[in-house]
């Protein structure tokens, strides 16, 4: 999850997103609603949180990609002597683990749930799933009203029928590839060498 939103390990070490998660938690505890809503809006805009599905949600109720306990632990580790030493040693060895660089926020798949069915001709289904996840989307194995896209290749069966009956947007493989083309700079996990 961190790799999708940061260019590299150094960016994680100095992550404004993680600091916002910690700040949102602090503001929630202090019951500073307006300030918490502002931080929640920032996190939602960055696709590092989703709006809450509870009745009459506020931005402060955002559901976070990484929770405050994990955010504090990551920040503390990178600030520790060990964390700083690891970053220094990686730099000395010219090892530069790369992430997704925040491209997920600009993706047409950001925050969307996709189902892939049938046989894709240009890539394996697992590769298509990783591309969707790498661009901030979720992949499900079944179609429901919460599904945003069904990507259908030749041989698509009942999932395609379910999508049509529920009014879910169906993308052909070519339409899927065209949407990927709009974010071609976002590498897959294997290409990016995600940390």
């Amino acid at each position: 999850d961190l790799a999708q939103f940061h260019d590299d390990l150094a960016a994680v070490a100095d992550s404004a997103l993680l600091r916002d998660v910690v700040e949102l938690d602090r503001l929630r505890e202090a019951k500073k609603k307006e300030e918490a809503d502002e931080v929640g809006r920032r996190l939602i805009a960055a696709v590092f949180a989703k709006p809450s599905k509870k009745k009459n949600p506020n931005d402060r109720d955002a559901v976070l990609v990484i929770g405050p306990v994990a955010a504090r632990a990551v920040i503390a580790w990178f600030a520790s002597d060990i964390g700083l030493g690891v970053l220094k040693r990686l730099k000395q060895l010219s090892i530069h683990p790369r992430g997704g660089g925040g491209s997920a926020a600009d993706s047409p798949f950001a925050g969307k749930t996709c189902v892939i069915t049938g046989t894709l001709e240009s890539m394996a289904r697992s590769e298509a799933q990783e591309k969707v996840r790498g661009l901030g989307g979720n992949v499900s194995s079944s179609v429901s009203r919460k599904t945003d896209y069904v990507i259908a290749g030749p041989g698509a069966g009942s999932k395609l029928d379910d999508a049509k009956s529920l009014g879910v947007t169906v993308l052909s493989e070519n339409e899927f590839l065209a949407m990927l083309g709009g974010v071609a700079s976002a590498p897959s996990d294997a290409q990016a060498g995600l940390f």
Side-chain angles (χ1 to χ4, degrees), residues 17-177:
L17 292 171
L18 292 177
R19 287 193 308 270
D20 272 352
V21 168
V22 171
E23 180 67 1
L24 178 61
D25 186 55
R26 185 188 70 76
L27 292 168
R28 285 174 175 169
E29 290 292 320
K31 302 201 184 306
K32 294 186 176 183
K33 296 176 181 178
E34 290 179 18
E35 294 173 52
D37 280 337
E38 182 180 331
V39 176
R41 271 191 295 282
R42 279 199 310 262
L43 289 165
I44 292 168
V47 195
F48 206 65
K50 293 181 182 179
S52 173
K53 292 185 180 181
K54 73 180 195 177
K55 191 175 181 179
N56 300 320
N58 294 296
D59 290 330
R60 65 183 166 270
D61 301 320
V63 179
L64 304 164
V65 170
I66 301 289
V69 172
R72 282 185 189 92
V74 171
I75 291 168
W77 188 83
F78 278 107
S80 72
D81 290 341
I82 293 172
L84 293 170
V86 168
L87 289 176
K88 181 178 178 183
R89 184 70 176 139
L90 287 172
K91 187 174 182 179
Q92 289 170 342
L93 295 171
S94 296
I95 297 173
H96 306 287
R98 295 179 26 143
S103 59
D106 301 326
S107 161
F109 298 104
K112 305 292 184 184
T113 299
C114 301
V115 173
I116 302 171
T117 184
T119 305
L120 300 180
E121 296 174 353
S122 63
M123 67 185 77
R125 189 181 300 186
S126 60
E127 183 181 354
Q129 291 170 342
E130 286 307 310
K131 287 184 181 292
V132 169
R133 287 185 186 111
L135 294 170
N138 302 306
V139 179
S140 176
S141 59
S142 60
V143 179
S144 72
R145 293 192 188 283
K146 294 181 182 179
T147 305
D148 296 291
Y149 298 119
V150 170
I151 301 157
S158 63
K159 291 178 185 176
L160 179 58
D161 296 336
D162 292 345
K164 288 178 180 176
S165 70
L166 293 171
V168 173
T169 301
V170 177
L171 301 174
S172 68
E173 183 173 358
N174 286 338
E175 291 169 321
F176 173 61
L177 293 172

